[in-house]
PDB file of all heavy atoms in Angstrom:
ATOM      1  N   THR A  55     -23.980  19.538  -6.395  1.00 98.00           N
ATOM      2  CA  THR A  55     -23.200  19.717  -7.611  1.00 98.00           C
ATOM      3  C   THR A  55     -24.096  20.324  -8.684  1.00 98.00           C
ATOM      4  O   THR A  55     -25.209  19.839  -8.913  1.00 98.00           O
ATOM      5  CB  THR A  55     -22.654  18.363  -8.116  1.00 98.00           C
ATOM      6  OG1 THR A  55     -21.833  17.796  -7.102  1.00 98.00           O
ATOM      7  CG2 THR A  55     -21.838  18.545  -9.372  1.00 98.00           C
ATOM      8  N   ILE A  56     -23.589  21.372  -9.315  1.00 98.00           N
ATOM      9  CA  ILE A  56     -24.303  22.025 -10.416  1.00 98.00           C
ATOM     10  C   ILE A  56     -23.368  21.987 -11.614  1.00 98.00           C
ATOM     11  O   ILE A  56     -22.226  22.443 -11.533  1.00 98.00           O
ATOM     12  CB  ILE A  56     -24.658  23.480 -10.061  1.00 98.00           C
ATOM     13  CG1 ILE A  56     -25.565  23.503  -8.825  1.00 98.00           C
ATOM     14  CG2 ILE A  56     -25.297  24.180 -11.244  1.00 98.00           C
ATOM     15  CD1 ILE A  56     -25.731  24.871  -8.205  1.00 98.00           C
ATOM     16  N   GLU A  57     -23.838  21.427 -12.734  1.00 98.00           N
ATOM     17  CA  GLU A  57     -22.974  21.349 -13.905  1.00 98.00           C
ATOM     18  C   GLU A  57     -23.765  21.563 -15.192  1.00 98.00           C
ATOM     19  O   GLU A  57     -24.945  21.237 -15.271  1.00 98.00           O
ATOM     20  CB  GLU A  57     -22.222  20.019 -13.944  1.00 98.00           C
ATOM     21  CG  GLU A  57     -23.093  18.794 -13.996  1.00 98.00           C
ATOM     22  CD  GLU A  57     -22.288  17.504 -13.938  1.00 98.00           C
ATOM     23  OE1 GLU A  57     -21.209  17.437 -14.537  1.00 98.00           O
ATOM     24  OE2 GLU A  57     -22.767  16.560 -13.295  1.00 98.00           O
ATOM     25  N   ASN A  58     -23.064  22.144 -16.162  1.00 98.00           N
ATOM     26  CA  ASN A  58     -23.636  22.390 -17.489  1.00 98.00           C
ATOM     27  C   ASN A  58     -24.974  23.119 -17.407  1.00 98.00           C
ATOM     28  O   ASN A  58     -25.930  22.766 -18.091  1.00 98.00           O
ATOM     29  CB  ASN A  58     -23.820  21.066 -18.247  1.00 98.00           C
ATOM     30  CG  ASN A  58     -22.527  20.309 -18.379  1.00 98.00           C
ATOM     31  OD1 ASN A  58     -21.472  20.894 -18.584  1.00 98.00           O
ATOM     32  ND2 ASN A  58     -22.596  19.001 -18.237  1.00 98.00           N
ATOM     33  N   SER A  59     -25.029  24.135 -16.555  1.00 98.00           N
ATOM     34  CA  SER A  59     -26.288  24.851 -16.337  1.00 98.00           C
ATOM     35  C   SER A  59     -26.091  26.356 -16.465  1.00 98.00           C
ATOM     36  O   SER A  59     -24.987  26.868 -16.331  1.00 98.00           O
ATOM     37  CB  SER A  59     -26.851  24.509 -14.956  1.00 98.00           C
ATOM     38  OG  SER A  59     -27.198  23.140 -14.901  1.00 98.00           O
ATOM     39  N   GLY A  60     -27.186  27.044 -16.724  1.00 98.00           N
ATOM     40  CA  GLY A  60     -27.151  28.495 -16.847  1.00 98.00           C
ATOM     41  C   GLY A  60     -28.241  29.134 -16.021  1.00 98.00           C
ATOM     42  O   GLY A  60     -29.299  28.542 -15.788  1.00 98.00           O
ATOM     43  N   PHE A  61     -27.952  30.346 -15.573  1.00 98.00           N
ATOM     44  CA  PHE A  61     -28.882  31.072 -14.716  1.00 98.00           C
ATOM     45  C   PHE A  61     -28.974  32.518 -15.181  1.00 98.00           C
ATOM     46  O   PHE A  61     -27.956  33.170 -15.408  1.00 98.00           O
ATOM     47  CB  PHE A  61     -28.406  31.031 -13.264  1.00 98.00           C
ATOM     48  CG  PHE A  61     -28.270  29.633 -12.747  1.00 98.00           C
ATOM     49  CD1 PHE A  61     -27.072  28.946 -12.879  1.00 98.00           C
ATOM     50  CD2 PHE A  61     -29.339  28.988 -12.161  1.00 98.00           C
ATOM     51  CE1 PHE A  61     -26.933  27.644 -12.434  1.00 98.00           C
ATOM     52  CE2 PHE A  61     -29.223  27.685 -11.703  1.00 98.00           C
ATOM     53  CZ  PHE A  61     -28.016  27.008 -11.841  1.00 98.00           C
ATOM     54  N   TYR A  62     -30.184  33.006 -15.331  1.00 97.00           N
ATOM     55  CA  TYR A  62     -30.444  34.403 -15.648  1.00 97.00           C
ATOM     56  C   TYR A  62     -31.113  35.006 -14.425  1.00 97.00           C
ATOM     57  O   TYR A  62     -32.250  34.655 -14.101  1.00 97.00           O
ATOM     58  CB  TYR A  62     -31.372  34.533 -16.856  1.00 97.00           C
ATOM     59  CG  TYR A  62     -30.755  34.081 -18.151  1.00 97.00           C
ATOM     60  CD1 TYR A  62     -30.840  32.766 -18.569  1.00 97.00           C
ATOM     61  CD2 TYR A  62     -30.079  34.997 -18.952  1.00 97.00           C
ATOM     62  CE1 TYR A  62     -30.274  32.358 -19.759  1.00 97.00           C
ATOM     63  CE2 TYR A  62     -29.508  34.595 -20.147  1.00 97.00           C
ATOM     64  CZ  TYR A  62     -29.613  33.271 -20.548  1.00 97.00           C
ATOM     65  OH  TYR A  62     -29.043  32.873 -21.726  1.00 97.00           O
ATOM     66  N   VAL A  63     -30.401  35.896 -13.743  1.00 97.00           N
ATOM     67  CA  VAL A  63     -30.924  36.478 -12.510  1.00 97.00           C
ATOM     68  C   VAL A  63     -31.149  37.972 -12.730  1.00 97.00           C
ATOM     69  O   VAL A  63     -30.221  38.695 -13.103  1.00 97.00           O
ATOM     70  CB  VAL A  63     -29.953  36.249 -11.327  1.00 97.00           C
ATOM     71  CG1 VAL A  63     -30.475  36.924 -10.071  1.00 97.00           C
ATOM     72  CG2 VAL A  63     -29.742  34.755 -11.098  1.00 97.00           C
ATOM     73  N   GLU A  64     -32.388  38.410 -12.491  1.00 96.00           N
ATOM     74  CA  GLU A  64     -32.737  39.816 -12.637  1.00 96.00           C
ATOM     75  C   GLU A  64     -33.446  40.292 -11.379  1.00 96.00           C
ATOM     76  O   GLU A  64     -34.156  39.521 -10.731  1.00 96.00           O
ATOM     77  CB  GLU A  64     -33.673  40.013 -13.829  1.00 96.00           C
ATOM     78  CG  GLU A  64     -33.031  39.701 -15.159  1.00 96.00           C
ATOM     79  CD  GLU A  64     -33.941  40.068 -16.315  1.00 96.00           C
ATOM     80  OE1 GLU A  64     -34.415  41.224 -16.346  1.00 96.00           O
ATOM     81  OE2 GLU A  64     -34.159  39.197 -17.164  1.00 96.00           O
ATOM     82  N   GLY A  65     -33.252  41.559 -11.051  1.00 94.00           N
ATOM     83  CA  GLY A  65     -33.964  42.129  -9.917  1.00 94.00           C
ATOM     84  C   GLY A  65     -33.494  43.534  -9.621  1.00 94.00           C
ATOM     85  O   GLY A  65     -32.342  43.888  -9.902  1.00 94.00           O
ATOM     86  N   THR A  66     -34.385  44.335  -9.051  1.00 95.00           N
ATOM     87  CA  THR A  66     -34.057  45.725  -8.739  1.00 95.00           C
ATOM     88  C   THR A  66     -34.482  46.140  -7.335  1.00 95.00           C
ATOM     89  O   THR A  66     -34.527  47.325  -7.036  1.00 95.00           O
ATOM     90  CB  THR A  66     -34.710  46.684  -9.760  1.00 95.00           C
ATOM     91  OG1 THR A  66     -36.128  46.469  -9.752  1.00 95.00           O
ATOM     92  CG2 THR A  66     -34.165  46.463 -11.161  1.00 95.00           C
ATOM     93  N   ASP A  67     -34.786  45.187  -6.480  1.00 95.00           N
ATOM     94  CA  ASP A  67     -35.188  45.506  -5.111  1.00 95.00           C
ATOM     95  C   ASP A  67     -33.928  45.745  -4.275  1.00 95.00           C
ATOM     96  O   ASP A  67     -33.191  44.810  -3.965  1.00 95.00           O
ATOM     97  CB  ASP A  67     -36.006  44.358  -4.524  1.00 95.00           C
ATOM     98  CG  ASP A  67     -36.583  44.688  -3.153  1.00 95.00           C
ATOM     99  OD1 ASP A  67     -36.032  45.577  -2.453  1.00 95.00           O
ATOM    100  OD2 ASP A  67     -37.567  44.041  -2.770  1.00 95.00           O
ATOM    101  N   LYS A  68     -33.683  46.971  -3.897  1.00 95.00           N
ATOM    102  CA  LYS A  68     -32.455  47.342  -3.180  1.00 95.00           C
ATOM    103  C   LYS A  68     -32.418  46.842  -1.742  1.00 95.00           C
ATOM    104  O   LYS A  68     -31.423  47.018  -1.059  1.00 95.00           O
ATOM    105  CB  LYS A  68     -32.263  48.850  -3.240  1.00 95.00           C
ATOM    106  CG  LYS A  68     -31.990  49.354  -4.647  1.00 95.00           C
ATOM    107  CD  LYS A  68     -31.812  50.848  -4.685  1.00 95.00           C
ATOM    108  CE  LYS A  68     -31.635  51.305  -6.117  1.00 95.00           C
ATOM    109  NZ  LYS A  68     -31.546  52.755  -6.210  1.00 95.00           N
ATOM    110  N   THR A  69     -33.475  46.197  -1.284  1.00 95.00           N
ATOM    111  CA  THR A  69     -33.465  45.610   0.062  1.00 95.00           C
ATOM    112  C   THR A  69     -33.114  44.124   0.036  1.00 95.00           C
ATOM    113  O   THR A  69     -32.971  43.505   1.080  1.00 95.00           O
ATOM    114  CB  THR A  69     -34.832  45.787   0.753  1.00 95.00           C
ATOM    115  OG1 THR A  69     -35.827  45.045   0.041  1.00 95.00           O
ATOM    116  CG2 THR A  69     -35.222  47.258   0.822  1.00 95.00           C
ATOM    117  N   LYS A  70     -32.990  43.524  -1.151  1.00 95.00           N
ATOM    118  CA  LYS A  70     -32.706  42.092  -1.291  1.00 95.00           C
ATOM    119  C   LYS A  70     -31.269  41.849  -1.731  1.00 95.00           C
ATOM    120  O   LYS A  70     -30.632  42.709  -2.332  1.00 95.00           O
ATOM    121  CB  LYS A  70     -33.638  41.463  -2.338  1.00 95.00           C
ATOM    122  CG  LYS A  70     -35.067  41.358  -1.915  1.00 95.00           C
ATOM    123  CD  LYS A  70     -35.862  40.598  -2.963  1.00 95.00           C
ATOM    124  CE  LYS A  70     -37.285  40.386  -2.511  1.00 95.00           C
ATOM    125  NZ  LYS A  70     -38.041  39.596  -3.493  1.00 95.00           N
ATOM    126  N   ASP A  71     -30.794  40.629  -1.458  1.00 95.00           N
ATOM    127  CA  ASP A  71     -29.508  40.162  -1.978  1.00 95.00           C
ATOM    128  C   ASP A  71     -29.793  39.302  -3.200  1.00 95.00           C
ATOM    129  O   ASP A  71     -30.736  38.511  -3.206  1.00 95.00           O
ATOM    130  CB  ASP A  71     -28.771  39.315  -0.932  1.00 95.00           C
ATOM    131  CG  ASP A  71     -28.360  40.127   0.286  1.00 95.00           C
ATOM    132  OD1 ASP A  71     -28.238  41.360   0.178  1.00 95.00           O
ATOM    133  OD2 ASP A  71     -28.159  39.522   1.349  1.00 95.00           O
TER     134      ASP A  71
END
Side-chain angles (χ1 to χ4, degrees):
T55 300
I56 299 167
E57 60 184 322
N58 303 322
S59 295
F61 301 90
Y62 292 89
V63 177
E64 294 187 52
T66 57
D67 186 337
K68 294 180 184 176
T69 65
K70 290 186 176 183
D71 294 337

